[in-house]
Amino acid sequence: MDLQDQLKNLFPDHQPEKEEIIKDNKDQIWMQEDPIICKYEKRKGKPITILEGYTGADEDFKKLAKELKTRLSVGGSFKNDAIIIQGDYRDQIMSILKDKGFKVKRVGG
């Protein structure tokens, strides 16, 4: 006997209410017309990938940064309106962003 059956035995006159399904737009990220610039640099001898040029809200860009870091299993940060990813992951990042619907422009190298 599960919990629902026990509750029906205790409260036979109770009619359960239907739950409303609320669609959250938490995963929605604002898309822009201009391309996001994906460039490669070396800082202190270590390679990094920098994404710049997002004109939406900072919170959306931070969500995008977190998703990229988790999908690539790398470290990185969000500073000065740019996402900095440790390592040279331009090709993977560009394919992920294109799958999401962004336009991406590769700069340098």
Side-chain angles (χ1 to χ4, degrees):
M1 184 180 276
D2 65 344
L3 183 61
Q4 293 294 329
D5 293 334
Q6 291 176 3
L7 288 173
K8 285 179 186 177
N9 290 338
L10 290 173
F11 305 103
D13 296 335
H14 178 71
Q15 296 295 327
E17 296 179 10
K18 292 184 179 180
E19 296 180 14
E20 294 182 22
I21 299 173
I22 299 172
K23 293 183 179 180
D24 291 333
N25 290 335
K26 292 180 182 178
D27 295 337
Q28 296 291 340
I29 296 176
W30 185 77
M31 302 304 244
Q32 65 182 20
E33 295 295 321
D34 297 332
I36 294 177
I37 296 171
C38 182
K39 62 183 178 179
Y40 170 78
E41 286 185 10
K42 278 193 173 184
R43 293 187 182 171
K44 297 182 182 176
K46 304 204 181 208
I48 60 169
T49 305
I50 301 173
L51 298 171
E52 297 176 327
Y54 186 73
T55 57
D58 284 346
E59 292 301 318
D60 289 344
F61 209 34
K62 287 179 183 178
K63 287 179 192 176
L64 186 62
K66 183 170 181 146
E67 182 181 342
L68 287 172
K69 291 189 298 182
T70 54
R71 286 192 57 187
L72 296 172
S73 301
V74 296
S77 65
F78 176 80
K79 292 182 183 175
N80 301 329
D81 296 330
I83 298 174
I84 301 171
I85 303 289
Q86 297 174 355
D88 184 10
Y89 291 99
R90 286 177 290 180
D91 297 329
Q92 292 97 328
I93 290 172
M94 288 175 67
S95 66
I96 290 170
L97 291 177
K98 284 180 183 176
D99 290 342
K100 288 184 136 319
F102 286 101
K103 296 178 185 175
V104 185
K105 184 176 183 182
R106 184 176 179 148
V107 176

